[in-house]
Amino acid sequence: MKPLDSEHLASFAANFQNDFSAHIGRDEEEAAELDRMRNALRDSLDLNIFTRQGIEWYRSAYIEAFLFMYDTAFYDREAGRYRIDEILDDGEREFGGYDIILLWQSYPRLGIDDRNQIDYYRDMPGGLQGLRQVVDRAHARGVRVFVNYNPWDIGTRREPGAPPYTDKRGYRGRFPDTNAPAVADAEALGAVIKEIGADGVFLDTMASDDPGFLAPMERANANIVFNPESLPPTEALSSIAGSWLQRNTVVPPDLMTIRWVEPRFSFRAIDRNADEHSDIIQKAFFHGCGQVVWENIFGWWNPWPETDRALLRRCVRLLRQFSAAFQDRDWQPYVATEVDGVYAHRWHSGETTMHTLINESGAAVSGPVLQAPATSPDGRQMRHYDLWNGAEIQPAQQGEAHLLPISMSGGEAGCIVSAPAGVEVDLGAGQEEPASAGAAGIDRKRLTLSDLSLRLVEPSPPVAAGEEPEEMCRVTAGTFNFGVRHNNRTVMEGACYDKIDQLWDKYHPRRFIDLPEYWIDRTEVTNASYLDFLEQARYLPRDLTNFLRHWHKPAGSEQEPWRWSPPPGKERHPVIWVDLDDARAYAHWAGKRLPLEEEWQKAAGFAVWPWGDGFDPALCNSGADDTTPVDRFPGGASHVGCLDMAGNVWEWTESERDDGHTRYAIIRGGSYLKVEGSIWYNASGAQPNDCHEKILLMYPGLDRCGTVGFRCVKDVAQT
């Protein structure tokens, strides 16, 4: 190795990871040179965060659960309660216990209406106080809670004023200022952190924080920690003490620069789309890193197999028991082994020496893999333990060293601990304890398309022969060529009802559907019509959160929505802030039902848009600031006479599905609101006839949106 120089040091530090193959099994002189290089790099960095009191726990946080808050395992909508204890029980039983849970609230719901990412925390069941109870319960069980931040959310509702700080754009400093006033989301997110007691922030798509972002977080929680999705640069270590670790960063003989420089950095590896995790679990363990457990991937169920769960339980027991060794600042990566392709790292804690190993030789190994001292510095005999398999090693003497034989399958990790005689080592540290009987956990069977059957739809009272329902359009019977697609980005993440076996979905296969004759409302249901329903039916939802949020509510009428009134001048605008059940209740009262998705599309027509193949902004409400009266655009009528089938408001369809993990429905037509600035938003603005949007369902307060209304259909008596 060439002598240490500033150019070599800068080159090494600039890389997120370095090929360490030239330094495998290095001699003492080269090892000393590398140590000098490492210390010089440390001297150039601000590493004070790693000695800060109050965040010591983060250094040994090995298991993080990505908790997709729309998962039905998290919130019981029938009982109206969070199932946090059941989630944590399952984590202990199946994964060895979580150190962190990340509460993910936003994508892929952002962009359907103008609520921003922080609103989605505020509108969770029970509001921020409800989330405070979740956090308090997690804390009582020794689990920390992170919130999520999406820096790309720049096109939704902006936050009001906030106290000044250095960079008034905060985290928006890297993004266009379009629709983004000076106030940063950092202040609003800080308020959420303070109110619910969160411990950290996941920085989605980011590698580090920005100037102006840290101060509001620390005002909310002086011991806040960040968890970026990507590897940070070394200069970010002044404020970043942990991150995710993507799969390609753990492949030997590469070495993560941050891991080498600062082993107290908190890494958790992730390969979310994999259906088998043993490789990344073992490679991460080799580097002394934990895992992110993520099974509900934005609505696509990708459960961990039992073999992987058992393997992770083994690794996390070893990581926790030897946490001090894995934070050894003098640790030595890629020390010499006896077998080509078997790599080893060496770590120390007190009198104990630990080697983590990984067999990348391409074949099984059985025999000596390491040399280790036969005696301790003070002359005591050394004993050696294969903790991966729970057995003491019987070494062979070779001069003043011991040769340590073990057996390893191809790709398998290993863990050897050496200690002087008299120092106790727990041989069972890596072994499974007998499972105790307990409540059944999360169902982890893989789903099939049959698990996504449509909710049963009851027919409406039929239209009699010769009858023409008022303000409805007739759709004749016949075979319909039904083809539908997602329109929000190149692919739709989270899967839909035709591709349950993979994450990505965009085009649904075309199919021919025989539809009988039916009638469909000419317009979207208006505020005035919905008020008639309330007054006559005395409808009272079980949960009033955000119900008709924009209507006027006289004092004392909070539980009597039939006394409420629409905004003045908007009587003929479509009703919004209603969920599926609110729409179904109206339809039932009116002697109708909600349309099936294919019924909605057939009524919209067979061209690209309801009025023809070319988009015309004069024929619909798209990209505006608000809803319009339902008869404002007569020129935009579909082939059967329906208005506003593109734009104004999205429309509920009778399309609810529940795979046992995620509930969702399909909305059609798009709305007046156009949310721009990121590929990660849902589709927005008016939508073509063959485009649909999957909307995740959780509970009424979130399901009700300021851009979603509905129209109804009526069945025809069959002769």
Side-chain angles (χ1 to χ4, degrees), residues 449 452 481-488 490-500 502-513 597-598 601 655 657 664-668 690-695:
L449 288 178
L452 281 175
N481 185 359
F482 180 59
V484 69
R485 62 189 170 97
H486 297 270
N487 194 37
N488 54 333
T490 307
V491 291
M492 199 286 291
E493 193 172 21
C496 202
Y497 52 73
D498 275 326
K499 289 189 179 172
I500 199 65
Q502 56 181 288
L503 174 65
W504 309 107
D505 200 1
K506 181 173 175 65
Y507 294 97
H508 290 265
R510 285 191 170 273
R511 50 196 171 99
F512 289 92
I513 301 174
E597 185 183 4
E598 52 266 32
Q601 186 164 325
S655 54
R657 289 174 169 86
Y664 67 90
I666 299 297
I667 51 177
R668 300 300 301 260
D690 67 340
C691 292
H692 74 183
E693 185 63 55
K694 172 184 174 182
I695 180 171

Short mmCIF file of all heavy atoms in Angstrom, two decimals, residues 449 452 481-488 490-500 502-513 597-598 601 655 657 664-668 690-695:
data_model
loop_
_atom_site.label_atom_id
_atom_site.label_comp_id
_atom_site.label_asym_id
_atom_site.label_seq_id
_atom_site.Cartn_x
_atom_site.Cartn_y
_atom_site.Cartn_z
N LEU A 449 -55.08 -14.26 -6.61
CA LEU A 449 -56.11 -13.36 -7.13
C LEU A 449 -57.47 -13.63 -6.47
O LEU A 449 -58.29 -12.72 -6.35
CB LEU A 449 -56.22 -13.50 -8.64
CG LEU A 449 -55.06 -12.91 -9.45
CD1 LEU A 449 -55.27 -13.17 -10.93
CD2 LEU A 449 -54.91 -11.42 -9.19
N LEU A 452 -58.70 -11.40 -3.75
CA LEU A 452 -59.11 -10.04 -4.09
C LEU A 452 -60.49 -10.01 -4.72
O LEU A 452 -60.76 -9.20 -5.60
CB LEU A 452 -58.08 -9.40 -5.03
CG LEU A 452 -56.82 -8.88 -4.34
CD1 LEU A 452 -55.83 -8.39 -5.37
CD2 LEU A 452 -57.16 -7.76 -3.38
N ASN A 481 -65.89 -4.31 -24.08
CA ASN A 481 -64.45 -4.60 -24.07
C ASN A 481 -63.80 -3.71 -23.02
O ASN A 481 -63.52 -2.54 -23.28
CB ASN A 481 -63.87 -4.35 -25.46
CG ASN A 481 -62.40 -4.76 -25.54
OD1 ASN A 481 -61.81 -5.22 -24.56
ND2 ASN A 481 -61.81 -4.59 -26.72
N PHE A 482 -63.58 -4.28 -21.85
CA PHE A 482 -63.13 -3.49 -20.69
C PHE A 482 -61.61 -3.57 -20.57
O PHE A 482 -61.04 -4.62 -20.30
CB PHE A 482 -63.79 -4.03 -19.42
CG PHE A 482 -63.41 -3.31 -18.16
CD1 PHE A 482 -63.63 -1.96 -18.02
CD2 PHE A 482 -62.82 -3.99 -17.10
CE1 PHE A 482 -63.28 -1.29 -16.85
CE2 PHE A 482 -62.48 -3.35 -15.92
CZ PHE A 482 -62.71 -1.99 -15.80
N GLY A 483 -60.96 -2.44 -20.78
CA GLY A 483 -59.52 -2.32 -20.58
C GLY A 483 -59.23 -1.09 -19.76
O GLY A 483 -59.81 -0.02 -19.99
N VAL A 484 -58.36 -1.22 -18.78
CA VAL A 484 -58.13 -0.11 -17.86
C VAL A 484 -56.65 -0.06 -17.50
O VAL A 484 -55.95 -1.07 -17.54
CB VAL A 484 -59.01 -0.26 -16.59
CG1 VAL A 484 -58.56 -1.43 -15.74
CG2 VAL A 484 -59.07 1.02 -15.80
N ARG A 485 -56.18 1.14 -17.14
CA ARG A 485 -54.77 1.32 -16.82
C ARG A 485 -54.62 2.37 -15.72
O ARG A 485 -55.55 3.12 -15.42
CB ARG A 485 -53.99 1.77 -18.05
CG ARG A 485 -54.44 3.11 -18.62
CD ARG A 485 -53.80 3.41 -19.96
NE ARG A 485 -54.39 4.57 -20.60
CZ ARG A 485 -53.88 5.80 -20.55
NH1 ARG A 485 -52.77 6.03 -19.85
NH2 ARG A 485 -54.47 6.80 -21.17
N HIS A 486 -53.43 2.39 -15.14
CA HIS A 486 -53.06 3.42 -14.18
C HIS A 486 -52.35 4.54 -14.91
O HIS A 486 -51.61 4.30 -15.85
CB HIS A 486 -52.17 2.84 -13.09
CG HIS A 486 -52.83 1.78 -12.27
ND1 HIS A 486 -53.54 2.05 -11.14
CD2 HIS A 486 -52.93 0.43 -12.46
CE1 HIS A 486 -54.03 0.92 -10.64
NE2 HIS A 486 -53.67 -0.07 -11.43
N ASN A 487 -52.56 5.76 -14.46
CA ASN A 487 -52.09 6.92 -15.22
C ASN A 487 -51.19 7.84 -14.42
O ASN A 487 -50.93 8.96 -14.82
CB ASN A 487 -53.31 7.72 -15.72
CG ASN A 487 -52.93 8.74 -16.79
OD1 ASN A 487 -52.08 8.46 -17.62
ND2 ASN A 487 -53.55 9.90 -16.76
N ASN A 488 -50.69 7.38 -13.26
CA ASN A 488 -49.94 8.32 -12.43
C ASN A 488 -48.45 8.33 -12.70
O ASN A 488 -47.77 9.28 -12.38
CB ASN A 488 -50.19 8.04 -10.94
CG ASN A 488 -49.90 6.60 -10.55
OD1 ASN A 488 -50.00 5.70 -11.37
ND2 ASN A 488 -49.55 6.39 -9.30
N THR A 490 -44.90 5.79 -14.73
CA THR A 490 -44.55 4.73 -15.66
C THR A 490 -45.17 3.40 -15.27
O THR A 490 -45.66 2.65 -16.10
CB THR A 490 -43.02 4.58 -15.73
OG1 THR A 490 -42.45 5.86 -16.02
CG2 THR A 490 -42.62 3.60 -16.81
N VAL A 491 -45.14 3.10 -13.98
CA VAL A 491 -45.81 1.91 -13.46
C VAL A 491 -46.54 2.31 -12.19
O VAL A 491 -46.30 3.37 -11.63
CB VAL A 491 -44.80 0.78 -13.14
CG1 VAL A 491 -44.21 0.21 -14.40
CG2 VAL A 491 -43.72 1.26 -12.20
N MET A 492 -47.44 1.45 -11.75
CA MET A 492 -48.17 1.73 -10.51
C MET A 492 -47.59 0.84 -9.42
O MET A 492 -47.56 -0.37 -9.55
CB MET A 492 -49.65 1.43 -10.70
CG MET A 492 -50.58 2.08 -9.68
SD MET A 492 -50.57 1.37 -8.04
CE MET A 492 -51.35 -0.20 -8.33
N GLU A 493 -47.08 1.45 -8.36
CA GLU A 493 -46.45 0.71 -7.28
C GLU A 493 -47.49 0.34 -6.23
O GLU A 493 -48.27 1.17 -5.80
CB GLU A 493 -45.34 1.55 -6.65
CG GLU A 493 -44.43 0.78 -5.74
CD GLU A 493 -43.23 1.61 -5.29
OE1 GLU A 493 -43.30 2.85 -5.36
OE2 GLU A 493 -42.23 1.01 -4.89
N GLY A 494 -47.47 -0.90 -5.80
CA GLY A 494 -48.43 -1.36 -4.81
C GLY A 494 -49.36 -2.42 -5.33
O GLY A 494 -50.14 -2.99 -4.58
N ALA A 495 -49.29 -2.71 -6.63
CA ALA A 495 -50.10 -3.74 -7.29
C ALA A 495 -51.59 -3.41 -7.24
O ALA A 495 -52.03 -2.52 -6.53
CB ALA A 495 -49.84 -5.11 -6.69
N CYS A 496 -52.35 -4.12 -8.06
CA CYS A 496 -53.79 -3.91 -8.12
C CYS A 496 -54.45 -5.27 -8.25
O CYS A 496 -53.83 -6.30 -7.97
CB CYS A 496 -54.13 -2.96 -9.28
SG CYS A 496 -55.72 -2.12 -9.11
N TYR A 497 -55.68 -5.33 -8.70
CA TYR A 497 -56.43 -6.57 -8.59
C TYR A 497 -56.11 -7.61 -9.66
O TYR A 497 -56.65 -8.71 -9.63
CB TYR A 497 -57.93 -6.30 -8.54
CG TYR A 497 -58.48 -5.43 -9.65
CD1 TYR A 497 -58.61 -5.89 -10.95
CD2 TYR A 497 -58.91 -4.13 -9.37
CE1 TYR A 497 -59.13 -5.09 -11.95
CE2 TYR A 497 -59.43 -3.32 -10.36
CZ TYR A 497 -59.54 -3.80 -11.65
OH TYR A 497 -60.07 -3.00 -12.64
N ASP A 498 -55.25 -7.30 -10.63
CA ASP A 498 -54.90 -8.30 -11.64
C ASP A 498 -53.49 -8.84 -11.48
O ASP A 498 -53.10 -9.76 -12.20
CB ASP A 498 -55.04 -7.71 -13.05
CG ASP A 498 -56.47 -7.81 -13.56
OD1 ASP A 498 -57.14 -8.80 -13.22
OD2 ASP A 498 -56.92 -6.89 -14.26
N LYS A 499 -52.69 -8.26 -10.57
CA LYS A 499 -51.31 -8.72 -10.41
C LYS A 499 -50.95 -8.73 -8.94
O LYS A 499 -50.28 -7.85 -8.44
CB LYS A 499 -50.34 -7.83 -11.20
CG LYS A 499 -50.45 -8.01 -12.70
CD LYS A 499 -49.34 -7.29 -13.42
CE LYS A 499 -49.45 -7.49 -14.92
NZ LYS A 499 -48.48 -6.65 -15.65
N ILE A 500 -51.39 -9.75 -8.25
CA ILE A 500 -51.16 -9.83 -6.82
C ILE A 500 -49.78 -10.39 -6.50
O ILE A 500 -49.28 -10.27 -5.39
CB ILE A 500 -52.26 -10.71 -6.17
CG1 ILE A 500 -52.34 -10.44 -4.67
CG2 ILE A 500 -52.04 -12.19 -6.47
CD1 ILE A 500 -52.79 -9.04 -4.34
N GLN A 502 -46.86 -9.50 -7.79
CA GLN A 502 -45.73 -8.60 -7.97
C GLN A 502 -46.11 -7.18 -7.59
O GLN A 502 -47.29 -6.82 -7.53
CB GLN A 502 -45.21 -8.64 -9.41
CG GLN A 502 -46.27 -8.32 -10.45
CD GLN A 502 -45.72 -8.41 -11.86
OE1 GLN A 502 -44.96 -7.55 -12.28
NE2 GLN A 502 -46.11 -9.44 -12.59
N LEU A 503 -45.08 -6.38 -7.34
CA LEU A 503 -45.29 -5.02 -6.85
C LEU A 503 -45.80 -4.09 -7.94
O LEU A 503 -46.62 -3.22 -7.69
CB LEU A 503 -43.97 -4.50 -6.30
CG LEU A 503 -43.91 -3.03 -5.87
CD1 LEU A 503 -44.84 -2.80 -4.70
CD2 LEU A 503 -42.48 -2.66 -5.48
N TRP A 504 -45.31 -4.26 -9.16
CA TRP A 504 -45.57 -3.28 -10.21
C TRP A 504 -46.80 -3.65 -11.02
O TRP A 504 -47.03 -4.81 -11.34
CB TRP A 504 -44.37 -3.17 -11.14
CG TRP A 504 -43.09 -2.96 -10.40
CD1 TRP A 504 -42.09 -3.87 -10.21
CD2 TRP A 504 -42.68 -1.78 -9.73
NE1 TRP A 504 -41.08 -3.33 -9.47
CE2 TRP A 504 -41.40 -2.04 -9.16
CE3 TRP A 504 -43.24 -0.52 -9.54
CZ2 TRP A 504 -40.70 -1.10 -8.43
CZ3 TRP A 504 -42.53 0.42 -8.82
CH2 TRP A 504 -41.29 0.13 -8.28
N ASP A 505 -47.55 -2.64 -11.41
CA ASP A 505 -48.73 -2.87 -12.24
C ASP A 505 -49.06 -1.56 -12.95
O ASP A 505 -48.95 -0.49 -12.38
CB ASP A 505 -49.92 -3.30 -11.36
CG ASP A 505 -51.00 -4.01 -12.16
OD1 ASP A 505 -50.81 -4.17 -13.37
OD2 ASP A 505 -52.01 -4.40 -11.56
N LYS A 506 -49.44 -1.64 -14.22
CA LYS A 506 -49.89 -0.45 -14.93
C LYS A 506 -51.11 -0.78 -15.79
O LYS A 506 -52.16 -0.17 -15.65
CB LYS A 506 -48.78 0.14 -15.80
CG LYS A 506 -49.23 1.41 -16.54
CD LYS A 506 -48.09 2.09 -17.24
CE LYS A 506 -48.57 3.28 -18.07
NZ LYS A 506 -49.11 4.36 -17.25
N TYR A 507 -50.97 -1.75 -16.69
CA TYR A 507 -52.06 -2.11 -17.58
C TYR A 507 -52.76 -3.37 -17.08
O TYR A 507 -52.12 -4.36 -16.78
CB TYR A 507 -51.54 -2.35 -19.00
CG TYR A 507 -51.00 -1.11 -19.66
CD1 TYR A 507 -49.64 -0.85 -19.66
CD2 TYR A 507 -51.86 -0.19 -20.27
CE1 TYR A 507 -49.13 0.29 -20.26
CE2 TYR A 507 -51.36 0.95 -20.86
CZ TYR A 507 -49.99 1.19 -20.86
OH TYR A 507 -49.50 2.32 -21.45
N HIS A 508 -54.07 -3.32 -17.01
CA HIS A 508 -54.85 -4.51 -16.71
C HIS A 508 -55.21 -5.21 -18.01
O HIS A 508 -55.51 -4.54 -19.02
CB HIS A 508 -56.12 -4.13 -15.95
CG HIS A 508 -55.86 -3.66 -14.55
ND1 HIS A 508 -55.92 -4.49 -13.46
CD2 HIS A 508 -55.52 -2.44 -14.07
CE1 HIS A 508 -55.64 -3.81 -12.37
NE2 HIS A 508 -55.39 -2.56 -12.71
N PRO A 509 -55.20 -6.53 -18.03
CA PRO A 509 -55.56 -7.24 -19.26
C PRO A 509 -56.99 -6.89 -19.69
O PRO A 509 -57.89 -6.79 -18.86
CB PRO A 509 -55.45 -8.71 -18.87
CG PRO A 509 -54.61 -8.73 -17.63
CD PRO A 509 -54.86 -7.45 -16.94
N ARG A 510 -57.16 -6.73 -20.98
CA ARG A 510 -58.51 -6.48 -21.49
C ARG A 510 -59.37 -7.74 -21.33
O ARG A 510 -58.89 -8.85 -21.46
CB ARG A 510 -58.47 -6.08 -22.97
CG ARG A 510 -57.99 -4.66 -23.18
CD ARG A 510 -58.21 -4.19 -24.61
NE ARG A 510 -57.96 -2.76 -24.71
CZ ARG A 510 -58.88 -1.83 -24.48
NH1 ARG A 510 -60.11 -2.19 -24.15
NH2 ARG A 510 -58.58 -0.56 -24.58
N ARG A 511 -60.65 -7.52 -21.06
CA ARG A 511 -61.57 -8.64 -20.97
C ARG A 511 -62.95 -8.20 -21.46
O ARG A 511 -63.32 -7.03 -21.33
CB ARG A 511 -61.65 -9.19 -19.55
CG ARG A 511 -61.89 -8.18 -18.47
CD ARG A 511 -61.55 -8.75 -17.09
NE ARG A 511 -61.56 -7.74 -16.05
CZ ARG A 511 -62.57 -7.52 -15.22
NH1 ARG A 511 -63.67 -8.27 -15.31
NH2 ARG A 511 -62.51 -6.60 -14.29
N PHE A 512 -63.67 -9.13 -22.01
CA PHE A 512 -65.01 -8.85 -22.51
C PHE A 512 -66.02 -9.15 -21.41
O PHE A 512 -66.01 -10.24 -20.81
CB PHE A 512 -65.31 -9.68 -23.76
CG PHE A 512 -64.53 -9.22 -24.96
CD1 PHE A 512 -63.30 -9.79 -25.25
CD2 PHE A 512 -65.00 -8.19 -25.77
CE1 PHE A 512 -62.56 -9.36 -26.35
CE2 PHE A 512 -64.27 -7.75 -26.87
CZ PHE A 512 -63.05 -8.34 -27.16
N ILE A 513 -66.88 -8.18 -21.13
CA ILE A 513 -67.86 -8.30 -20.05
C ILE A 513 -69.25 -8.08 -20.62
O ILE A 513 -69.50 -7.10 -21.34
CB ILE A 513 -67.59 -7.26 -18.95
CG1 ILE A 513 -66.17 -7.43 -18.38
CG2 ILE A 513 -68.62 -7.36 -17.83
CD1 ILE A 513 -65.78 -6.36 -17.38
N GLU A 597 -67.13 -0.60 -11.61
CA GLU A 597 -66.13 0.13 -12.38
C GLU A 597 -66.39 0.02 -13.88
O GLU A 597 -66.28 1.00 -14.63
CB GLU A 597 -64.73 -0.40 -12.04
CG GLU A 597 -63.62 0.38 -12.69
CD GLU A 597 -62.25 -0.19 -12.41
OE1 GLU A 597 -62.15 -1.25 -11.76
OE2 GLU A 597 -61.27 0.42 -12.87
N GLU A 598 -66.74 -1.18 -14.34
CA GLU A 598 -66.98 -1.36 -15.77
C GLU A 598 -68.25 -0.63 -16.22
O GLU A 598 -68.33 -0.16 -17.37
CB GLU A 598 -67.04 -2.85 -16.13
CG GLU A 598 -68.01 -3.66 -15.30
CD GLU A 598 -67.34 -4.32 -14.10
OE1 GLU A 598 -66.39 -3.72 -13.54
OE2 GLU A 598 -67.79 -5.42 -13.72
N GLN A 601 -67.23 2.97 -16.70
CA GLN A 601 -66.42 3.19 -17.90
C GLN A 601 -67.25 3.07 -19.18
O GLN A 601 -67.05 3.84 -20.13
CB GLN A 601 -65.25 2.21 -17.95
CG GLN A 601 -64.28 2.50 -19.09
CD GLN A 601 -62.96 1.80 -18.91
OE1 GLN A 601 -62.47 1.66 -17.79
NE2 GLN A 601 -62.36 1.35 -20.00
N SER A 655 -66.34 -1.01 -5.80
CA SER A 655 -65.14 -1.77 -6.18
C SER A 655 -64.28 -2.10 -4.97
O SER A 655 -63.08 -2.31 -5.11
CB SER A 655 -64.32 -0.94 -7.17
OG SER A 655 -64.05 0.35 -6.61
N ARG A 657 -62.22 -3.87 -2.27
CA ARG A 657 -61.54 -5.16 -2.14
C ARG A 657 -60.73 -5.15 -0.85
O ARG A 657 -60.26 -4.11 -0.41
CB ARG A 657 -60.63 -5.43 -3.35
CG ARG A 657 -61.40 -5.73 -4.63
CD ARG A 657 -60.46 -5.84 -5.82
NE ARG A 657 -61.12 -6.38 -6.99
CZ ARG A 657 -61.79 -5.65 -7.88
NH1 ARG A 657 -61.89 -4.34 -7.71
NH2 ARG A 657 -62.36 -6.22 -8.93
N TYR A 664 -58.98 -1.44 -0.31
CA TYR A 664 -58.92 -0.33 -1.25
C TYR A 664 -60.15 -0.35 -2.14
O TYR A 664 -60.92 -1.31 -2.17
CB TYR A 664 -57.64 -0.37 -2.08
CG TYR A 664 -57.52 -1.52 -3.05
CD1 TYR A 664 -58.00 -1.41 -4.36
CD2 TYR A 664 -56.90 -2.70 -2.68
CE1 TYR A 664 -57.88 -2.45 -5.25
CE2 TYR A 664 -56.78 -3.75 -3.56
CZ TYR A 664 -57.27 -3.62 -4.86
OH TYR A 664 -57.15 -4.66 -5.75
N ALA A 665 -60.34 0.75 -2.84
CA ALA A 665 -61.42 0.86 -3.82
C ALA A 665 -60.86 1.58 -5.04
O ALA A 665 -59.74 2.10 -5.03
CB ALA A 665 -62.61 1.62 -3.23
N ILE A 666 -61.66 1.60 -6.09
CA ILE A 666 -61.27 2.26 -7.34
C ILE A 666 -62.12 3.52 -7.52
O ILE A 666 -63.34 3.47 -7.38
CB ILE A 666 -61.46 1.33 -8.54
CG1 ILE A 666 -60.58 0.08 -8.39
CG2 ILE A 666 -61.15 2.06 -9.84
CD1 ILE A 666 -59.09 0.34 -8.36
N ILE A 667 -61.46 4.62 -7.80
CA ILE A 667 -62.15 5.86 -8.14
C ILE A 667 -61.87 6.20 -9.59
O ILE A 667 -60.84 5.81 -10.15
CB ILE A 667 -61.74 7.03 -7.20
CG1 ILE A 667 -60.22 7.17 -7.12
CG2 ILE A 667 -62.33 6.81 -5.81
CD1 ILE A 667 -59.74 8.34 -6.26
N ARG A 668 -62.80 6.93 -10.20
CA ARG A 668 -62.71 7.17 -11.64
C ARG A 668 -62.92 8.64 -11.98
O ARG A 668 -63.57 9.39 -11.24
CB ARG A 668 -63.76 6.33 -12.38
CG ARG A 668 -63.65 4.82 -12.21
CD ARG A 668 -62.32 4.27 -12.70
NE ARG A 668 -62.09 4.56 -14.09
CZ ARG A 668 -62.27 3.70 -15.10
NH1 ARG A 668 -62.71 2.47 -14.85
NH2 ARG A 668 -62.02 4.04 -16.34
N ASP A 690 -60.21 5.39 -19.82
CA ASP A 690 -59.71 4.06 -19.46
C ASP A 690 -58.73 4.09 -18.29
O ASP A 690 -58.03 3.10 -18.05
CB ASP A 690 -59.04 3.41 -20.68
CG ASP A 690 -57.76 4.12 -21.10
OD1 ASP A 690 -57.58 5.30 -20.73
OD2 ASP A 690 -56.93 3.50 -21.80
N CYS A 691 -58.66 5.19 -17.57
CA CYS A 691 -57.73 5.30 -16.44
C CYS A 691 -58.47 5.21 -15.12
O CYS A 691 -59.52 5.81 -14.94
CB CYS A 691 -56.96 6.62 -16.51
SG CYS A 691 -55.82 6.69 -17.89
N HIS A 692 -57.89 4.46 -14.21
CA HIS A 692 -58.48 4.40 -12.87
C HIS A 692 -57.41 4.66 -11.82
O HIS A 692 -56.22 4.65 -12.10
CB HIS A 692 -59.22 3.08 -12.64
CG HIS A 692 -58.34 1.87 -12.43
ND1 HIS A 692 -58.86 0.61 -12.26
CD2 HIS A 692 -57.00 1.70 -12.35
CE1 HIS A 692 -57.89 -0.27 -12.08
NE2 HIS A 692 -56.75 0.37 -12.13
N GLU A 693 -57.85 4.90 -10.61
CA GLU A 693 -56.94 5.16 -9.50
C GLU A 693 -57.34 4.28 -8.32
O GLU A 693 -58.52 4.18 -7.97
CB GLU A 693 -56.99 6.63 -9.09
CG GLU A 693 -55.98 7.02 -8.02
CD GLU A 693 -54.54 6.83 -8.47
OE1 GLU A 693 -54.16 7.39 -9.51
OE2 GLU A 693 -53.80 6.10 -7.79
N LYS A 694 -56.35 3.65 -7.74
CA LYS A 694 -56.56 2.82 -6.55
C LYS A 694 -56.41 3.72 -5.32
O LYS A 694 -55.38 4.36 -5.14
CB LYS A 694 -55.51 1.71 -6.53
CG LYS A 694 -55.46 0.87 -5.27
CD LYS A 694 -54.30 -0.13 -5.37
CE LYS A 694 -54.11 -0.90 -4.07
NZ LYS A 694 -52.95 -1.82 -4.16
N ILE A 695 -57.44 3.76 -4.48
CA ILE A 695 -57.39 4.58 -3.27
C ILE A 695 -57.41 3.66 -2.06
O ILE A 695 -58.32 2.84 -1.88
CB ILE A 695 -58.54 5.61 -3.22
CG1 ILE A 695 -58.47 6.44 -1.94
CG2 ILE A 695 -59.90 4.96 -3.39
CD1 ILE A 695 -59.44 7.62 -1.91
#
